[in-house]
Amino acid sequence: MIYIDERKKAFFLEGENFTYAIDVSDGYLRHAYWGKKIERDDIDQLLFDHPAGYVVAIEASASGRGSLETLPQEISFFGLGDYRTSCFKATGEDGGKVFDLKYDSFELLTEKPSYSDLPMLKGGETLVVRLLDAAKRLELKLYYTVYEECGCLTRHAEITPLGGTVFLERALGFCVDLPDCGYDCITLYGKHSCEAQIDRQALGHGEFSVSSCMGISSHVHNPFMALAEKHATENAGDVYGFGLVYSGNFFLSAQTGEFGTIRVCGGINPLDFRYRLREKESFVTPEVLMTYSECGLGGMSRNFHRAIERYILKRGVPPIVANSWEATFFDFDTKKLFGFIDGLKGLNIDTFVLDDGWFGRRDSDRTSLGDWKVNTKKLIGGLEPVINKCKENGLKFGIWIEPEMISEESELYTLHPDWAVKSKFLKPRTSRNQLVLDLTRKEVLDYLKSTFYALLKNHDISYVKWDMNRPLTEFYSAGLEKENQGEFAHRYVKAVYELADYLTRSFPDIYFEGCAGGGGRFDIAMLKYFSSVWASDSCDAEERCRIQYGYSYLYPLKTVSSHVGASPAHQTSRSIPLESRCNVSAFGAFGYELRLDVLPQEEREFIADYNLFAKQLRSVLAEGELFRTENPFESKFTGFIVMNRQKTKGYGLFYQSKTSYGDGIKMIRLRGLDPKKKYSVPKFGVCAYGSTLMNMGIQHKTTNTDYQSVLYEINEAEND
Ligand code: GLA
């Protein structure tokens, strides 16, 4: 709900469990409160007047009443005496940089506006607060939408010059100045094959930030940040979470201010960002999804999951896939594929996905990106015989593409060397032997639209894995004027959105999976187009426990693609029992990445049964709530429980990495049950009340072998 007190110029955004309040102080928009729900009428008694400071503070207004340096704000502008991180900086035609943005008016929209080239959560009632430069040269609109039942809100901003051209040099679309309660800052960091690792550190003095300047959201930092009270745990304590709905160069920061505040702000990375805006031309910032939870990190994640699932995620039940990549890499032909596909019969797999290597002359990663024609030397008769082979075996067919890329060794590069992103003077930098196509150019985007439209139209394809295997460099387009080069990275991402929007809309029944060398572009924005994202190039279940646990802070597990790999694992040479590899993968968008056709018969039988079970689990994962029970970053155990929303059925995973002699017994305390209802957990031969299972827990006798796991079903039982 949005309540507006026009007399007091106060705005209250309320969810079921939170209040977010804004008011106007000396003409500026003040961040008044965000946290557990409070009484609206009390608020103005409690707001502190911002002191002018002593010697150095710049007075905010002619009345000399306060300083912007000490005012908790909703947005901040460079050059006005607030020396904390500025959200916006713009330079006018005269080179002047100061715009004094003050409250002007508000508007309540019944629907949140949507933008075709910038993904955002769908939303209803939206508050728009208009700020206007004192000299009327610039307007800034702040948009707020509440997701009451999710404990979330979204924000974005729209900036419009009113008196001539401006160059926008910073565009961080949101800011909140929270009272400093001694928070820890939590982020997700990583690298290729080791994504979404959790970092938690006390916020000290100064600014702590995570960012990307790689043109993609990146493996290195996910566009996510949380502030947690010192003592906040998985299940209790105040946590504020922020997830940017953006896939490009981003910036998120938390900064301790002079007067007991912490500023959290974020948006487009200002590095190399400079956007020319002509008079009346608007610029819309990426949105942020924000949540407050008093139920610890688990509460934060469930809020995020609900909002993402309901308001942005491209729907689609993840099929159980058998992907060819780690099964064959580039080394396949029709005969080998036929053997592989025949070998899937009877395993209860839904879809065979043909990964890299099917087009051009692509027998290695050196060549052919851009030449999206089937390699008929490898695949005699093209894709059709492979598709028919799938159908014969009761399978659907999926295909790997990497639309944004071009190999120097390709027909496309011979025809259009200028289509690659490069500088005028230097040899372009390759990564994985490939260059990036300049998607900011219309002719390139048109080529990609028509090429992939034709591929998907002309074949019976039900699944697409959209890869993107290198970060951007050069950040230059021959198609942009000199004055627009600072727009390149943002325009590139918007072009990716346009292409993804076009293809996913044209083929609504195709399941799209995203990928960027694993999780190099796993962010909320991508989930508008892709139902899941290949989370990591590491299929080692031990590594995957941490990777998937980390992603689950922000992303619903059903969006985390997770396949059973070979043992020993390609990436780490670690051997893990098949059951544990399956159990870890089943808590995600499930599938296989190994030669299933040549496995021993007893493993094939196990897999056939397991897939039937995984389909039941999948239906609970699709709409249920996630509870994390054991943290692999803090112990050798990983635990998840997913319960349906009626709290009648669920599944739990308990995984143990290395054992030590005498580990013996581990109590598994369940979560998410109704304390007053009885549940049976057949795997442990237990039937007890929710309260008992959640507090006393279940005794699990661990074995003396490494990498053991148990996946157990939880069912509501008849009450006595
Ligand atoms: C990336 C992906 C892999 C696979 C290869 C193919 O590394 O993450 O899953 O598709 O590309 O080249």
Side-chain angles (χ1 to χ4, degrees):
M1 273 304 250
I2 299 176
Y3 295 91
I4 294 161
D5 186 330
E6 290 200 45
R7 196 177 52 81
K8 291 185 191 162
K9 290 206 187 109
F11 306 93
F12 297 89
L13 311 162
E14 292 186 353
E16 282 169 13
N17 298 312
F18 75 88
T19 302
Y20 186 103
I22 308 164
D23 77 340
V24 178
S25 169
D26 276 343
Y28 294 99
L29 209 56
R30 164 163 58 183
H31 175 75
Y33 174 77
W34 184 26
K36 201 175 157 94
K37 207 160 195 169
I38 55 169
E39 293 302 324
R40 261 171 259 140
D41 290 345
D42 292 341
I43 197 156
D44 51 342
Q45 295 178 44
L46 298 167
L47 285 171
F48 60 89
D49 234 2
H50 51 295
Y54 299 101
V55 186
V56 292
I58 308 294
E59 285 151 6
S61 63
S63 70
R65 270 200 41 230
S67 151
L68 289 182
E69 178 73 348
T70 60
L71 180 72
Q73 291 181 76
E74 280 293 297
I75 208 76
S76 66
F77 240 81
F78 175 77
L80 298 173
D82 177 353
Y83 298 104
R84 294 167 289 178
T85 308
S86 305
C87 293
F88 282 95
K89 176 171 179 260
T91 303
E93 277 170 349
D94 64 342
K97 291 167 251 187
V98 183
F99 296 88
D100 195 3
L101 273 287
K102 291 196 165 182
Y103 173 78
D104 173 72
S105 55
F106 76 89
E107 210 182 330
L108 255 189
L109 309 177
T110 47
E111 281 293 316
K112 177 170 159 182
S114 63
Y115 309 89
S116 58
D117 55 356
L118 204 55
M120 289 188 184
L121 278 77
K122 288 196 205 92
E125 197 180 35
T126 297
L127 171 69
V128 190
V129 181
R130 180 174 189 254
L131 310 179
L132 191 61
D133 167 48
K136 300 199 168 30
R137 296 162 302 163
L138 200 62
E139 169 198 87
L140 182 70
K141 285 180 172 174
L142 302 180
Y143 291 78
Y144 299 84
T145 310
V146 182
Y147 300 84
E148 286 183 52
E149 81 293 7
C150 304
C152 288
L153 57 129
T154 55
R155 289 185 56 178
H156 72 271
E158 185 180 3
I159 189 161
T160 316
L162 303 176
T165 298
V166 304
F167 287 92
L168 191 59
E169 283 141 2
R170 292 180 74 86
L172 308 181
F174 85 97
C175 158
V176 264
D177 288 336
L178 296 166
D180 184 353
C181 300
Y183 291 109
D184 286 346
C185 188
I186 299 172
T187 53
L188 298 173
Y189 72 98
K191 55 189 169 199
H192 177 245
S193 285
C194 184
E195 295 84 345
Q197 305 294 297
I198 294 171
D199 182 63
R200 178 170 183 161
Q201 52 180 287
L203 273 179
H205 294 281
E207 182 175 17
F208 176 77
S209 66
V210 288
S211 62
S212 163
C213 55
M214 299 169 84
I216 47 178
S217 39
S218 97
H219 298 85
V220 186
H221 293 294
N222 202 267
F224 158 80
M225 183 176 270
L227 295 194
E229 273 184 330
K230 275 266 161 306
H231 303 293
T233 61
E234 179 61 26
N235 301 308
D238 280 4
V239 181
Y240 296 88
F242 305 85
L244 283 178
V245 188
Y246 193 50
S247 314
N249 290 348
F250 78 90
F251 176 81
L252 267 170
S253 113
Q255 185 189 27
T256 313
E258 253 178 286
F259 287 87
T261 53
I262 297 223
R263 168 165 295 175
V264 182
C265 58
I268 297 175
N269 191 340
L271 182 65
D272 192 41
F273 175 76
R274 188 166 184 265
Y275 214 98
R276 176 163 66 177
L277 286 179
R278 297 201 167 82
E279 189 169 321
K280 305 254 169 68
E281 222 172 47
S282 297
F283 181 90
V284 178
T285 69
E287 126 171 314
V288 63
L289 172 63
M290 307 166 47
T291 190
Y292 159 77
S293 167
E294 58 179 316
C295 300
L297 293 158
M300 168 195 77
S301 299
R302 286 186 288 281
N303 287 352
F304 275 143
H305 296 174
R306 205 172 302 155
I308 290 172
E309 276 164 14
R310 293 187 184 172
Y311 299 104
I312 191 160
L313 182 63
K314 182 174 190 295
R315 278 160 215 277
V317 179
I320 298 186
V321 306
N323 179 299
S324 68
W325 180 240
E326 291 194 12
T328 64
F329 294 102
F330 291 109
D331 178 20
F332 61 81
D333 56 18
T334 312
K335 189 161 165 255
K336 192 162 176 184
L337 287 187
F338 276 18
F340 184 71
I341 296 166
D342 280 337
L344 301 179
K345 191 172 187 153
L347 295 187
N348 300 314
I349 283 175
D350 301 313
T351 305
F352 164 72
V353 178
L354 180 56
D355 209 284
D356 198 353
W358 58 267
F359 52 91
R361 289 178 291 107
R362 183 108 168 143
D363 292 322
S364 77
D365 62 16
R366 302 205 67 81
T367 157
S368 298
L369 292 167
D371 299 344
W372 300 103
K373 279 181 236 115
V374 187
N375 179 345
T376 44
K377 288 211 178 80
K378 255 172 147 173
L379 300 179
I380 313 287
L383 290 177
E384 269 340 282
V386 183
I387 296 174
N388 290 336
K389 190 63 165 169
C390 287
K391 287 186 182 158
E392 259 172 46
N393 286 291
L395 295 159
K396 291 189 168 165
F397 175 76
I399 199 157
W400 177 96
I401 58 174
E402 196 177 1
E404 300 155 66
M405 295 295 148
I406 183 165
S407 307
E408 281 173 297
E409 215 180 282
S410 68
E411 283 173 20
L412 189 68
Y413 195 76
T414 312
L415 276 174
H416 300 290
D418 57 317
W419 280 14
V421 177
K422 53 179 151 179
S423 97
K424 268 197 220 155
F425 308 105
L426 303 172
K427 194 172 155 28
R429 266 150 216 277
T430 52
S431 165
R432 210 194 186 208
N433 305 306
Q434 64 199 54
L435 301 176
V436 182
L437 280 169
D438 182 355
L439 267 64
T440 69
R441 292 174 66 166
K442 190 176 175 310
E443 61 275 34
V444 177
L445 202 58
D446 287 347
Y447 164 79
L448 294 174
K449 281 183 181 169
S450 59
T451 303
F452 290 101
Y453 183 89
L455 175 74
L456 301 180
K457 187 82 190 160
N458 297 338
H459 299 96
D460 196 354
I461 291 173
S462 76
Y463 190 107
V464 169
K465 176 176 172 188
W466 177 320
D467 210 340
M468 196 288 184
N469 271 315
R470 61 155 288 181
L472 273 65
T473 44
E474 281 93 2
F475 297 94
Y476 178 86
S477 170
L480 288 173
E481 284 176 33
K482 186 173 91 190
E483 298 290 22
N484 296 84
Q485 292 296 339
E487 301 169 14
F488 176 79
H490 185 59
R491 285 184 182 273
Y492 178 87
V493 182
K494 292 213 301 180
V496 173
Y497 294 146
E498 188 180 326
L499 184 60
D501 193 59
Y502 172 74
L503 291 176
T504 52
R505 267 180 209 280
S506 304
F507 301 97
D509 297 330
I510 294 184
Y511 184 99
F512 281 80
E513 178 192 32
C515 179
R521 198 165 58 185
F522 199 148
D523 51 68
I524 305 174
M526 278 293 150
L527 296 178
K528 177 169 177 193
Y529 313 106
F530 304 149
S531 304
S532 59
V533 178
W534 179 235
S536 177
D537 272 349
S538 176
C539 282
D540 174 348
E542 169 75 12
E543 302 284 320
R544 276 296 188 129
C545 282
R546 282 183 288 278
I547 295 170
Q548 290 167 203
Y549 192 98
Y551 278 124
S552 78
Y553 268 21
L554 177 55
Y555 307 102
L557 275 183
K558 69 173 174 195
T559 68
V560 180
S561 287
S562 166
H563 295 172
V564 177
S567 182
H570 287 287
Q571 298 79 9
T572 58
S573 304
R574 199 188 326 256
S575 297
I576 294 190
L578 178 60
E579 184 172 356
S580 286
R581 281 180 278 144
C582 287
N583 287 347
V584 170
S585 295
F587 270 78
F590 187 49
Y592 295 84
E593 197 94 11
L594 75 166
R595 284 290 297 274
L596 292 162
D597 53 326
V598 297
L599 288 183
Q601 189 53 23
E602 71 273 13
E603 292 200 350
R604 289 177 51 80
E605 280 164 21
F606 174 85
I607 286 172
D609 286 348
Y610 197 92
N611 288 340
L612 293 178
F613 170 73
K615 286 178 189 177
Q616 292 168 26
L617 194 164
R618 170 172 78 181
S619 61
V620 178
L621 207 59
E623 53 86 70
E625 286 205 300
L626 181 74
F627 298 85
R628 291 177 292 251
T629 50
E630 304 287 345
N631 181 346
F633 292 93
E634 290 172 356
S635 73
K636 59 185 175 186
F637 306 115
T638 305
F640 292 116
I641 288 179
V642 57
M643 283 304 291
N644 69 7
R645 287 184 192 272
Q646 306 76 39
K647 296 184 191 297
T648 55
K649 186 170 185 64
Y651 292 89
L653 167 72
F654 177 84
Y655 170 94
Q656 167 171 352
S657 43
K658 291 271 183 195
T659 54
S660 317
Y661 176 71
D663 267 350
I665 283 169
K666 171 81 185 152
M667 295 303 284
I668 304 180
R669 289 162 92 189
L670 306 195
R671 294 268 169 253
L673 312 182
D674 181 336
K676 297 209 165 65
K677 282 188 181 155
K678 264 192 153 179
Y679 293 89
S680 73
V681 190
K683 198 88 180 205
F684 296 106
V686 169
C687 186
Y689 280 100
S691 58
T692 317
L693 294 168
M694 291 195 289
N695 293 302
M696 186 176 170
I698 296 178
Q699 269 197 18
H700 174 47
K701 295 192 186 63
T702 59
T703 59
N704 274 341
T705 28
D706 292 340
Y707 316 121
Q708 292 301 306
S709 66
V710 49
L711 209 156
Y712 52 93
E713 216 173 312
I714 309 163
N715 288 309
E716 186 187 336
E718 291 290 305
N719 281 339
D720 298 333

